[in-house]
């Protein structure tokens, strides 16, 4: 991680939540995430395919406390996120990016699942789930 990225993280951590709130930082390197997409076809049938998507470096800064505000740094963009669930081994964040509602589940091991549903090609619904092994505690 570059010195500039670390400086940005330190600044974001200072404003995201108090340090006592069980704050986490998870960094996913840029690259391809594997996953699966389900889409409804124009004829009304559904198609399910293994898929991949390319993401920029993504940094999650969040707290365990349900309802707390965090931030997702995607490339140079800062996206507000809310902790909506905390279980023993994972936290789920909700946020909107590019007009699409996302739910990302971040396991304590660094495994991240990115899930979203949207209409593509007009009104044809698509649901996708992608995953990546990321770095914790940076």
């Amino acid at each position: 991680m570059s010195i500039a990225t670390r400086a940005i993280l330190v600044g974001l951590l200072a404003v995201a939540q108090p340090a006592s709130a069980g704050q986490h930082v998870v960094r996913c390197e840029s690259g391809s995430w594997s996953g699966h997409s389900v889409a409804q076809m124009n004829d009304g049938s559904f198609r399910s395919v293994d898929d991949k998507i390319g993401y920029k470096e993504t940094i999650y800064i969040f707290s365990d406390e349900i309802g707390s505000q965090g931030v997702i740094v995607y490339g140079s963009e800062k996206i507000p996120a809310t902790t909506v669930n905390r279980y023993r081994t994972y936290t789920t964040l909700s946020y909107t990016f590019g007009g699409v509602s996302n739910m990302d589940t971040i396991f304590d091991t660094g495994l991240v699942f990115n899930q979203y549903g949207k209409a593509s090609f007009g009104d044809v619904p698509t649901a996708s789930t992608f995953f990546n092994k990321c770095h914790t505690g940076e």
Side-chain angles (χ1 to χ4, degrees):
M1 184 182 313
S2 71
I3 293 174
T5 300
R6 286 192 185 276
I8 290 170
L9 283 175
V10 169
L12 289 171
L13 284 169
V15 298
Q17 289 290 325
S20 63
Q23 196 162 62
H24 302 276
V25 176
V26 176
R27 184 180 62 85
C28 305
E29 295 175 6
S30 63
S32 181
W33 290 38
S34 296
H36 200 78
S37 294
V38 177
Q40 185 175 18
M41 309 314 295
N42 289 330
D43 65 3
S45 66
F46 287 87
R47 183 182 76 175
S48 177
V49 297
D50 287 333
D51 210 351
K52 289 188 183 263
I53 192 167
Y55 283 130
K56 296 178 183 176
E57 179 182 55
T58 306
I59 302 168
Y60 297 87
I61 304 168
F62 61 95
S63 169
D64 289 342
E65 185 179 339
I66 294 174
S68 65
Q69 296 298 301
V71 66
I72 298 169
V73 181
Y74 179 74
S76 62
E77 299 183 55
K78 295 175 187 78
I79 306 156
T82 303
T83 299
V84 295
N85 189 20
R86 173 66 189 167
Y87 192 62
R88 282 182 255 159
T89 59
Y90 65 83
T91 303
T92 302
L93 304 177
S94 177
Y95 61 98
T96 301
F97 180 67
V100 176
S101 179
N102 288 263
M103 278 285 218
D104 287 12
T105 300
I106 305 164
F107 288 86
D108 295 346
T109 61
L111 180 64
V112 177
F113 283 97
N114 166 247
Q115 300 172 297
Y116 63 88
K118 67 177 184 172
S120 61
F121 306 113
D123 294 323
V124 179
T126 301
S128 299
T129 301
F130 297 102
F131 65 92
N132 196 8
K133 179 70 172 129
C134 303
H135 308 280
T136 61
E138 294 189 25

